[in-house]
Amino acid sequence: MRKFIVAGNWKMNTTVPEGVELAKAVLEKAKDIPANVELIVAPPFTHLVSVADALKGSRIAVSAQNCADEEKGAFTGEVSADMLVSAGCSYTILGHSERRQYYGETDAKLVKKVRLALSRNLKVILCVGENLKEREAGKHFDVVRAQIENVLFNFSAEELKSIVIAYEPVWAIGTGKTATAEQAEEIHRCIRSIIEEKFGPAAADDMTILYGGSCKPSNAKELFACPDIDGGLIGGAALKADDFIGIALSF
Ligand code: PGA
């Protein structure tokens, strides 16, 4: 069964006490959200234990924003899948465009990261999306297809059940410029058809595909009404509990 998800990516924002306050505020307001919508928050690494503690036993899952591509050992500054699980995470975001752009994250590295995360029962939110130049050159379908093939095609239909895709056009992230519902839906439909080609109709139908990029309460309803958009990965608007919940109420 396809899941509907609203996930908040806090990026490098909030101190630990601010993050715990934000998590508590989201929890407090979450009671009106339909039960079939899964809520996830993705705070920075330093916050995970405290935020997971504040949300313990609640309906809100905790995600990391990244995960190491090695199991353990001499990798200064890295955080492993085992550590994330022990901190209370059930998800990790992987392949966010900011990781790809600023930290040289490649599809090959992502395959290792996804494999490690899944081996520890961490579910994965895998981000894909084209940049402005690629969009203007009409290459967006090709770019997204390559990202999906290079990473997801290394996994089985069974493993796919623990993976969520987030389509995030880079030109829409943090810019206030949202993709129109038509632009987003056509890529989401394409992603689903790529999954279907490789893994069959059941896997394609079950796949949760989130939209990310300047999603806010005022545009979420139109986006979520599209048949292939199953929720959102929210950046800026996830830093205000009211906006985040407003988006989750848009189903
Ligand atoms: P944004 O970020 O909502 O601030 O555009 C989305 C994301 O990068 O996940």
Side-chain angles (χ1 to χ4, degrees), residues 85-118:
V85 172
S86 72
C89 289
S90 50
Y91 279 90
T92 182
I93 296 171
L94 289 176
H96 190 279
S97 63
E98 287 149 18
R99 300 287 327 161
R100 294 179 189 258
Q101 194 178 343
Y102 307 135
Y103 302 97
E105 192 130 302
T106 59
D107 285 340
K109 263 204 162 148
L110 279 169
V111 173
K112 283 179 79 183
K113 291 187 177 199
V114 173
R115 186 163 289 134
L116 262 173
L118 296 183

PDB file of all heavy atoms in Angstrom, residues 85-118:
ATOM      1  N   VAL A  85      20.472   4.487  14.004  1.00  0.00           N
ATOM      2  CA  VAL A  85      19.449   3.619  14.592  1.00  0.00           C
ATOM      3  C   VAL A  85      19.499   3.734  16.114  1.00  0.00           C
ATOM      4  O   VAL A  85      18.470   3.891  16.779  1.00  0.00           O
ATOM      5  CB  VAL A  85      19.654   2.152  14.138  1.00  0.00           C
ATOM      6  CG1 VAL A  85      18.732   1.214  14.900  1.00  0.00           C
ATOM      7  CG2 VAL A  85      19.421   2.029  12.635  1.00  0.00           C
ATOM      8  N   SER A  86      20.718   3.708  16.665  1.00  0.00           N
ATOM      9  CA  SER A  86      20.824   3.759  18.133  1.00  0.00           C
ATOM     10  C   SER A  86      20.415   5.125  18.669  1.00  0.00           C
ATOM     11  O   SER A  86      20.071   5.270  19.847  1.00  0.00           O
ATOM     12  CB  SER A  86      22.245   3.400  18.580  1.00  0.00           C
ATOM     13  OG  SER A  86      23.144   4.443  18.265  1.00  0.00           O
ATOM     14  N   ALA A  87      20.407   6.158  17.815  1.00  0.00           N
ATOM     15  CA  ALA A  87      19.961   7.496  18.249  1.00  0.00           C
ATOM     16  C   ALA A  87      18.448   7.647  18.141  1.00  0.00           C
ATOM     17  O   ALA A  87      17.897   8.670  18.553  1.00  0.00           O
ATOM     18  CB  ALA A  87      20.658   8.567  17.412  1.00  0.00           C
ATOM     19  N   GLY A  88      17.773   6.650  17.545  1.00  0.00           N
ATOM     20  CA  GLY A  88      16.315   6.718  17.481  1.00  0.00           C
ATOM     21  C   GLY A  88      15.751   7.016  16.096  1.00  0.00           C
ATOM     22  O   GLY A  88      14.569   7.315  15.956  1.00  0.00           O
ATOM     23  N   CYS A  89      16.592   6.930  15.077  1.00  0.00           N
ATOM     24  CA  CYS A  89      16.117   7.190  13.708  1.00  0.00           C
ATOM     25  C   CYS A  89      15.475   5.941  13.104  1.00  0.00           C
ATOM     26  O   CYS A  89      15.985   4.843  13.291  1.00  0.00           O
ATOM     27  CB  CYS A  89      17.273   7.548  12.783  1.00  0.00           C
ATOM     28  SG  CYS A  89      17.962   9.145  13.111  1.00  0.00           S
ATOM     29  N   SER A  90      14.424   6.146  12.343  1.00  0.00           N
ATOM     30  CA  SER A  90      13.912   5.050  11.526  1.00  0.00           C
ATOM     31  C   SER A  90      14.075   5.339  10.042  1.00  0.00           C
ATOM     32  O   SER A  90      13.825   4.465   9.209  1.00  0.00           O
ATOM     33  CB  SER A  90      12.454   4.737  11.873  1.00  0.00           C
ATOM     34  OG  SER A  90      11.685   5.900  11.866  1.00  0.00           O
ATOM     35  N   TYR A  91      14.471   6.565   9.717  1.00  0.00           N
ATOM     36  CA  TYR A  91      14.704   6.959   8.318  1.00  0.00           C
ATOM     37  C   TYR A  91      16.039   7.677   8.199  1.00  0.00           C
ATOM     38  O   TYR A  91      16.536   8.248   9.175  1.00  0.00           O
ATOM     39  CB  TYR A  91      13.652   7.981   7.869  1.00  0.00           C
ATOM     40  CG  TYR A  91      12.308   7.432   7.462  1.00  0.00           C
ATOM     41  CD1 TYR A  91      11.289   7.278   8.402  1.00  0.00           C
ATOM     42  CD2 TYR A  91      12.052   7.110   6.134  1.00  0.00           C
ATOM     43  CE1 TYR A  91      10.029   6.803   8.026  1.00  0.00           C
ATOM     44  CE2 TYR A  91      10.805   6.631   5.753  1.00  0.00           C
ATOM     45  CZ  TYR A  91       9.802   6.485   6.691  1.00  0.00           C
ATOM     46  OH  TYR A  91       8.572   6.016   6.315  1.00  0.00           O
ATOM     47  N   THR A  92      16.560   7.722   6.971  1.00  0.00           N
ATOM     48  CA  THR A  92      17.572   8.715   6.639  1.00  0.00           C
ATOM     49  C   THR A  92      17.306   9.256   5.247  1.00  0.00           C
ATOM     50  O   THR A  92      16.898   8.500   4.344  1.00  0.00           O
ATOM     51  CB  THR A  92      19.020   8.178   6.747  1.00  0.00           C
ATOM     52  OG1 THR A  92      19.912   9.267   6.447  1.00  0.00           O
ATOM     53  CG2 THR A  92      19.307   7.027   5.802  1.00  0.00           C
ATOM     54  N   ILE A  93      17.473  10.562   5.105  1.00  0.00           N
ATOM     55  CA  ILE A  93      17.453  11.176   3.774  1.00  0.00           C
ATOM     56  C   ILE A  93      18.803  10.840   3.143  1.00  0.00           C
ATOM     57  O   ILE A  93      19.827  10.843   3.826  1.00  0.00           O
ATOM     58  CB  ILE A  93      17.305  12.714   3.891  1.00  0.00           C
ATOM     59  CG1 ILE A  93      15.960  13.083   4.530  1.00  0.00           C
ATOM     60  CG2 ILE A  93      17.467  13.393   2.523  1.00  0.00           C
ATOM     61  CD1 ILE A  93      15.831  14.575   4.871  1.00  0.00           C
ATOM     62  N   LEU A  94      18.828  10.540   1.858  1.00  0.00           N
ATOM     63  CA  LEU A  94      20.099  10.321   1.158  1.00  0.00           C
ATOM     64  C   LEU A  94      20.055  10.992  -0.210  1.00  0.00           C
ATOM     65  O   LEU A  94      19.000  11.018  -0.863  1.00  0.00           O
ATOM     66  CB  LEU A  94      20.377   8.821   0.993  1.00  0.00           C
ATOM     67  CG  LEU A  94      20.746   8.046   2.268  1.00  0.00           C
ATOM     68  CD1 LEU A  94      20.901   6.551   1.970  1.00  0.00           C
ATOM     69  CD2 LEU A  94      22.017   8.583   2.919  1.00  0.00           C
ATOM     70  N   GLY A  95      21.191  11.539  -0.630  1.00  0.00           N
ATOM     71  CA  GLY A  95      21.290  12.106  -1.973  1.00  0.00           C
ATOM     72  C   GLY A  95      20.598  13.436  -2.139  1.00  0.00           C
ATOM     73  O   GLY A  95      20.235  13.819  -3.261  1.00  0.00           O
ATOM     74  N   HIS A  96      20.424  14.176  -1.035  1.00  0.00           N
ATOM     75  CA  HIS A  96      19.833  15.510  -1.179  1.00  0.00           C
ATOM     76  C   HIS A  96      20.707  16.325  -2.134  1.00  0.00           C
ATOM     77  O   HIS A  96      21.931  16.185  -2.142  1.00  0.00           O
ATOM     78  CB  HIS A  96      19.741  16.185   0.193  1.00  0.00           C
ATOM     79  CG  HIS A  96      18.928  17.446   0.128  1.00  0.00           C
ATOM     80  ND1 HIS A  96      19.464  18.626  -0.319  1.00  0.00           N
ATOM     81  CD2 HIS A  96      17.631  17.689   0.404  1.00  0.00           C
ATOM     82  CE1 HIS A  96      18.510  19.558  -0.300  1.00  0.00           C
ATOM     83  NE2 HIS A  96      17.390  19.009   0.130  1.00  0.00           N
ATOM     84  N   SER A  97      20.095  17.190  -2.909  1.00  0.00           N
ATOM     85  CA  SER A  97      20.867  17.944  -3.928  1.00  0.00           C
ATOM     86  C   SER A  97      21.967  18.778  -3.283  1.00  0.00           C
ATOM     87  O   SER A  97      23.004  19.021  -3.895  1.00  0.00           O
ATOM     88  CB  SER A  97      19.950  18.829  -4.749  1.00  0.00           C
ATOM     89  OG  SER A  97      19.349  19.797  -3.926  1.00  0.00           O
ATOM     90  N   GLU A  98      21.752  19.222  -2.032  1.00  0.00           N
ATOM     91  CA  GLU A  98      22.815  19.996  -1.364  1.00  0.00           C
ATOM     92  C   GLU A  98      24.013  19.097  -1.042  1.00  0.00           C
ATOM     93  O   GLU A  98      25.154  19.545  -1.077  1.00  0.00           O
ATOM     94  CB  GLU A  98      22.251  20.675  -0.105  1.00  0.00           C
ATOM     95  CG  GLU A  98      21.342  21.844  -0.490  1.00  0.00           C
ATOM     96  CD  GLU A  98      20.207  22.120   0.474  1.00  0.00           C
ATOM     97  OE1 GLU A  98      20.253  21.663   1.627  1.00  0.00           O
ATOM     98  OE2 GLU A  98      19.256  22.809   0.053  1.00  0.00           O
ATOM     99  N   ARG A  99      23.785  17.840  -0.757  1.00  0.00           N
ATOM    100  CA  ARG A  99      24.880  16.887  -0.554  1.00  0.00           C
ATOM    101  C   ARG A  99      25.578  16.619  -1.894  1.00  0.00           C
ATOM    102  O   ARG A  99      26.787  16.533  -1.968  1.00  0.00           O
ATOM    103  CB  ARG A  99      24.365  15.546   0.001  1.00  0.00           C
ATOM    104  CG  ARG A  99      23.642  15.598   1.333  1.00  0.00           C
ATOM    105  CD  ARG A  99      24.494  15.841   2.528  1.00  0.00           C
ATOM    106  NE  ARG A  99      25.811  15.299   2.453  1.00  0.00           N
ATOM    107  CZ  ARG A  99      26.817  15.731   3.238  1.00  0.00           C
ATOM    108  NH1 ARG A  99      26.607  16.683   4.135  1.00  0.00           N
ATOM    109  NH2 ARG A  99      28.001  15.189   3.143  1.00  0.00           N
ATOM    110  N   ARG A 100      24.774  16.472  -2.941  1.00  0.00           N
ATOM    111  CA  ARG A 100      25.368  16.190  -4.263  1.00  0.00           C
ATOM    112  C   ARG A 100      26.186  17.398  -4.720  1.00  0.00           C
ATOM    113  O   ARG A 100      27.288  17.258  -5.227  1.00  0.00           O
ATOM    114  CB  ARG A 100      24.259  15.918  -5.290  1.00  0.00           C
ATOM    115  CG  ARG A 100      23.456  14.629  -5.026  1.00  0.00           C
ATOM    116  CD  ARG A 100      22.373  14.487  -6.100  1.00  0.00           C
ATOM    117  NE  ARG A 100      21.404  13.431  -5.866  1.00  0.00           N
ATOM    118  CZ  ARG A 100      21.423  12.243  -6.476  1.00  0.00           C
ATOM    119  NH1 ARG A 100      22.376  11.946  -7.324  1.00  0.00           N
ATOM    120  NH2 ARG A 100      20.478  11.358  -6.235  1.00  0.00           N
ATOM    121  N   GLN A 101      25.633  18.602  -4.524  1.00  0.00           N
ATOM    122  CA  GLN A 101      26.246  19.826  -5.042  1.00  0.00           C
ATOM    123  C   GLN A 101      27.453  20.292  -4.226  1.00  0.00           C
ATOM    124  O   GLN A 101      28.473  20.654  -4.775  1.00  0.00           O
ATOM    125  CB  GLN A 101      25.162  20.912  -5.024  1.00  0.00           C
ATOM    126  CG  GLN A 101      25.480  22.136  -5.821  1.00  0.00           C
ATOM    127  CD  GLN A 101      24.315  23.131  -5.763  1.00  0.00           C
ATOM    128  OE1 GLN A 101      23.185  22.796  -5.405  1.00  0.00           O
ATOM    129  NE2 GLN A 101      24.592  24.376  -6.093  1.00  0.00           N
ATOM    130  N   TYR A 102      27.338  20.302  -2.908  1.00  0.00           N
ATOM    131  CA  TYR A 102      28.398  20.887  -2.068  1.00  0.00           C
ATOM    132  C   TYR A 102      29.373  19.856  -1.511  1.00  0.00           C
ATOM    133  O   TYR A 102      30.442  20.204  -1.045  1.00  0.00           O
ATOM    134  CB  TYR A 102      27.797  21.664  -0.882  1.00  0.00           C
ATOM    135  CG  TYR A 102      26.771  22.697  -1.268  1.00  0.00           C
ATOM    136  CD1 TYR A 102      25.580  22.808  -0.557  1.00  0.00           C
ATOM    137  CD2 TYR A 102      27.005  23.580  -2.324  1.00  0.00           C
ATOM    138  CE1 TYR A 102      24.636  23.768  -0.898  1.00  0.00           C
ATOM    139  CE2 TYR A 102      26.061  24.536  -2.668  1.00  0.00           C
ATOM    140  CZ  TYR A 102      24.880  24.626  -1.956  1.00  0.00           C
ATOM    141  OH  TYR A 102      23.946  25.559  -2.289  1.00  0.00           O
ATOM    142  N   TYR A 103      28.961  18.588  -1.453  1.00  0.00           N
ATOM    143  CA  TYR A 103      29.820  17.594  -0.800  1.00  0.00           C
ATOM    144  C   TYR A 103      30.172  16.429  -1.721  1.00  0.00           C
ATOM    145  O   TYR A 103      30.577  15.357  -1.252  1.00  0.00           O
ATOM    146  CB  TYR A 103      29.157  17.109   0.500  1.00  0.00           C
ATOM    147  CG  TYR A 103      28.904  18.265   1.436  1.00  0.00           C
ATOM    148  CD1 TYR A 103      27.651  18.868   1.489  1.00  0.00           C
ATOM    149  CD2 TYR A 103      29.938  18.816   2.202  1.00  0.00           C
ATOM    150  CE1 TYR A 103      27.422  19.974   2.300  1.00  0.00           C
ATOM    151  CE2 TYR A 103      29.717  19.915   3.001  1.00  0.00           C
ATOM    152  CZ  TYR A 103      28.457  20.495   3.049  1.00  0.00           C
ATOM    153  OH  TYR A 103      28.249  21.591   3.839  1.00  0.00           O
ATOM    154  N   GLY A 104      29.974  16.657  -3.015  1.00  0.00           N
ATOM    155  CA  GLY A 104      30.427  15.681  -4.005  1.00  0.00           C
ATOM    156  C   GLY A 104      29.808  14.302  -3.889  1.00  0.00           C
ATOM    157  O   GLY A 104      30.457  13.297  -4.187  1.00  0.00           O
ATOM    158  N   GLU A 105      28.566  14.249  -3.441  1.00  0.00           N
ATOM    159  CA  GLU A 105      27.927  12.936  -3.305  1.00  0.00           C
ATOM    160  C   GLU A 105      27.588  12.393  -4.695  1.00  0.00           C
ATOM    161  O   GLU A 105      26.877  13.032  -5.443  1.00  0.00           O
ATOM    162  CB  GLU A 105      26.640  13.114  -2.494  1.00  0.00           C
ATOM    163  CG  GLU A 105      26.071  11.826  -2.048  1.00  0.00           C
ATOM    164  CD  GLU A 105      25.770  11.864  -0.568  1.00  0.00           C
ATOM    165  OE1 GLU A 105      26.711  12.106   0.220  1.00  0.00           O
ATOM    166  OE2 GLU A 105      24.619  11.668  -0.219  1.00  0.00           O
ATOM    167  N   THR A 106      28.098  11.231  -5.003  1.00  0.00           N
ATOM    168  CA  THR A 106      27.854  10.639  -6.330  1.00  0.00           C
ATOM    169  C   THR A 106      26.831   9.507  -6.216  1.00  0.00           C
ATOM    170  O   THR A 106      26.583   8.984  -5.134  1.00  0.00           O
ATOM    171  CB  THR A 106      29.151  10.033  -6.889  1.00  0.00           C
ATOM    172  OG1 THR A 106      29.594   9.020  -5.949  1.00  0.00           O
ATOM    173  CG2 THR A 106      30.235  11.081  -7.048  1.00  0.00           C
ATOM    174  N   ASP A 107      26.293   9.121  -7.358  1.00  0.00           N
ATOM    175  CA  ASP A 107      25.354   8.000  -7.371  1.00  0.00           C
ATOM    176  C   ASP A 107      26.031   6.732  -6.842  1.00  0.00           C
ATOM    177  O   ASP A 107      25.408   5.942  -6.130  1.00  0.00           O
ATOM    178  CB  ASP A 107      24.825   7.764  -8.793  1.00  0.00           C
ATOM    179  CG  ASP A 107      23.797   8.828  -9.199  1.00  0.00           C
ATOM    180  OD1 ASP A 107      23.217   9.486  -8.316  1.00  0.00           O
ATOM    181  OD2 ASP A 107      23.587   8.992 -10.418  1.00  0.00           O
ATOM    182  N   ALA A 108      27.320   6.554  -7.168  1.00  0.00           N
ATOM    183  CA  ALA A 108      28.029   5.349  -6.720  1.00  0.00           C
ATOM    184  C   ALA A 108      28.107   5.315  -5.183  1.00  0.00           C
ATOM    185  O   ALA A 108      27.903   4.272  -4.557  1.00  0.00           O
ATOM    186  CB  ALA A 108      29.422   5.310  -7.324  1.00  0.00           C
ATOM    187  N   LYS A 109      28.382   6.474  -4.591  1.00  0.00           N
ATOM    188  CA  LYS A 109      28.421   6.551  -3.118  1.00  0.00           C
ATOM    189  C   LYS A 109      27.033   6.281  -2.543  1.00  0.00           C
ATOM    190  O   LYS A 109      26.871   5.634  -1.499  1.00  0.00           O
ATOM    191  CB  LYS A 109      28.838   7.970  -2.697  1.00  0.00           C
ATOM    192  CG  LYS A 109      30.294   8.059  -2.394  1.00  0.00           C
ATOM    193  CD  LYS A 109      30.619   9.191  -1.468  1.00  0.00           C
ATOM    194  CE  LYS A 109      31.976   8.823  -0.966  1.00  0.00           C
ATOM    195  NZ  LYS A 109      32.919   9.645  -0.625  1.00  0.00           N
ATOM    196  N   LEU A 110      26.036   6.791  -3.257  1.00  0.00           N
ATOM    197  CA  LEU A 110      24.668   6.621  -2.768  1.00  0.00           C
ATOM    198  C   LEU A 110      24.245   5.163  -2.730  1.00  0.00           C
ATOM    199  O   LEU A 110      23.518   4.745  -1.825  1.00  0.00           O
ATOM    200  CB  LEU A 110      23.694   7.413  -3.651  1.00  0.00           C
ATOM    201  CG  LEU A 110      23.634   8.883  -3.299  1.00  0.00           C
ATOM    202  CD1 LEU A 110      22.868   9.679  -4.342  1.00  0.00           C
ATOM    203  CD2 LEU A 110      22.964   9.044  -1.933  1.00  0.00           C
ATOM    204  N   VAL A 111      24.707   4.399  -3.702  1.00  0.00           N
ATOM    205  CA  VAL A 111      24.373   2.974  -3.703  1.00  0.00           C
ATOM    206  C   VAL A 111      24.898   2.335  -2.413  1.00  0.00           C
ATOM    207  O   VAL A 111      24.182   1.590  -1.726  1.00  0.00           O
ATOM    208  CB  VAL A 111      24.970   2.258  -4.945  1.00  0.00           C
ATOM    209  CG1 VAL A 111      24.760   0.753  -4.862  1.00  0.00           C
ATOM    210  CG2 VAL A 111      24.361   2.813  -6.221  1.00  0.00           C
ATOM    211  N   LYS A 112      26.128   2.684  -2.033  1.00  0.00           N
ATOM    212  CA  LYS A 112      26.712   2.133  -0.796  1.00  0.00           C
ATOM    213  C   LYS A 112      25.913   2.585   0.423  1.00  0.00           C
ATOM    214  O   LYS A 112      25.653   1.818   1.350  1.00  0.00           O
ATOM    215  CB  LYS A 112      28.167   2.617  -0.639  1.00  0.00           C
ATOM    216  CG  LYS A 112      29.161   1.906  -1.524  1.00  0.00           C
ATOM    217  CD  LYS A 112      30.573   2.444  -1.330  1.00  0.00           C
ATOM    218  CE  LYS A 112      31.235   1.885  -0.060  1.00  0.00           C
ATOM    219  NZ  LYS A 112      32.595   2.487   0.135  1.00  0.00           N
ATOM    220  N   LYS A 113      25.543   3.859   0.429  1.00  0.00           N
ATOM    221  CA  LYS A 113      24.806   4.399   1.576  1.00  0.00           C
ATOM    222  C   LYS A 113      23.431   3.746   1.715  1.00  0.00           C
ATOM    223  O   LYS A 113      23.020   3.364   2.812  1.00  0.00           O
ATOM    224  CB  LYS A 113      24.637   5.916   1.425  1.00  0.00           C
ATOM    225  CG  LYS A 113      25.936   6.676   1.563  1.00  0.00           C
ATOM    226  CD  LYS A 113      25.695   8.181   1.582  1.00  0.00           C
ATOM    227  CE  LYS A 113      27.026   8.899   1.804  1.00  0.00           C
ATOM    228  NZ  LYS A 113      26.865  10.265   2.281  1.00  0.00           N
ATOM    229  N   VAL A 114      22.743   3.622   0.573  1.00  0.00           N
ATOM    230  CA  VAL A 114      21.396   3.018   0.626  1.00  0.00           C
ATOM    231  C   VAL A 114      21.519   1.573   1.113  1.00  0.00           C
ATOM    232  O   VAL A 114      20.755   1.128   1.972  1.00  0.00           O
ATOM    233  CB  VAL A 114      20.699   3.081  -0.763  1.00  0.00           C
ATOM    234  CG1 VAL A 114      19.387   2.292  -0.741  1.00  0.00           C
ATOM    235  CG2 VAL A 114      20.456   4.521  -1.192  1.00  0.00           C
ATOM    236  N   ARG A 115      22.515   0.854   0.595  1.00  0.00           N
ATOM    237  CA  ARG A 115      22.690  -0.556   0.972  1.00  0.00           C
ATOM    238  C   ARG A 115      22.933  -0.690   2.483  1.00  0.00           C
ATOM    239  O   ARG A 115      22.318  -1.517   3.155  1.00  0.00           O
ATOM    240  CB  ARG A 115      23.840  -1.152   0.160  1.00  0.00           C
ATOM    241  CG  ARG A 115      24.004  -2.621   0.355  1.00  0.00           C
ATOM    242  CD  ARG A 115      24.843  -3.271  -0.739  1.00  0.00           C
ATOM    243  NE  ARG A 115      24.150  -3.338  -2.007  1.00  0.00           N
ATOM    244  CZ  ARG A 115      24.688  -3.002  -3.181  1.00  0.00           C
ATOM    245  NH1 ARG A 115      25.919  -2.562  -3.242  1.00  0.00           N
ATOM    246  NH2 ARG A 115      23.986  -3.100  -4.291  1.00  0.00           N
ATOM    247  N   LEU A 116      23.814   0.173   2.988  1.00  0.00           N
ATOM    248  CA  LEU A 116      24.118   0.129   4.426  1.00  0.00           C
ATOM    249  C   LEU A 116      22.891   0.479   5.262  1.00  0.00           C
ATOM    250  O   LEU A 116      22.596  -0.180   6.263  1.00  0.00           O
ATOM    251  CB  LEU A 116      25.225   1.133   4.747  1.00  0.00           C
ATOM    252  CG  LEU A 116      26.614   0.543   4.833  1.00  0.00           C
ATOM    253  CD1 LEU A 116      27.644   1.649   4.972  1.00  0.00           C
ATOM    254  CD2 LEU A 116      26.701  -0.401   6.042  1.00  0.00           C
ATOM    255  N   ALA A 117      22.187   1.539   4.861  1.00  0.00           N
ATOM    256  CA  ALA A 117      21.001   1.962   5.616  1.00  0.00           C
ATOM    257  C   ALA A 117      19.983   0.825   5.668  1.00  0.00           C
ATOM    258  O   ALA A 117      19.483   0.464   6.740  1.00  0.00           O
ATOM    259  CB  ALA A 117      20.391   3.218   4.976  1.00  0.00           C
ATOM    260  N   LEU A 118      19.701   0.230   4.511  1.00  0.00           N
ATOM    261  CA  LEU A 118      18.688  -0.839   4.465  1.00  0.00           C
ATOM    262  C   LEU A 118      19.122  -2.036   5.298  1.00  0.00           C
ATOM    263  O   LEU A 118      18.294  -2.689   5.945  1.00  0.00           O
ATOM    264  CB  LEU A 118      18.419  -1.278   3.021  1.00  0.00           C
ATOM    265  CG  LEU A 118      17.806  -0.226   2.087  1.00  0.00           C
ATOM    266  CD1 LEU A 118      17.536  -0.835   0.720  1.00  0.00           C
ATOM    267  CD2 LEU A 118      16.531   0.384   2.653  1.00  0.00           C
TER     268      LEU A 118
END
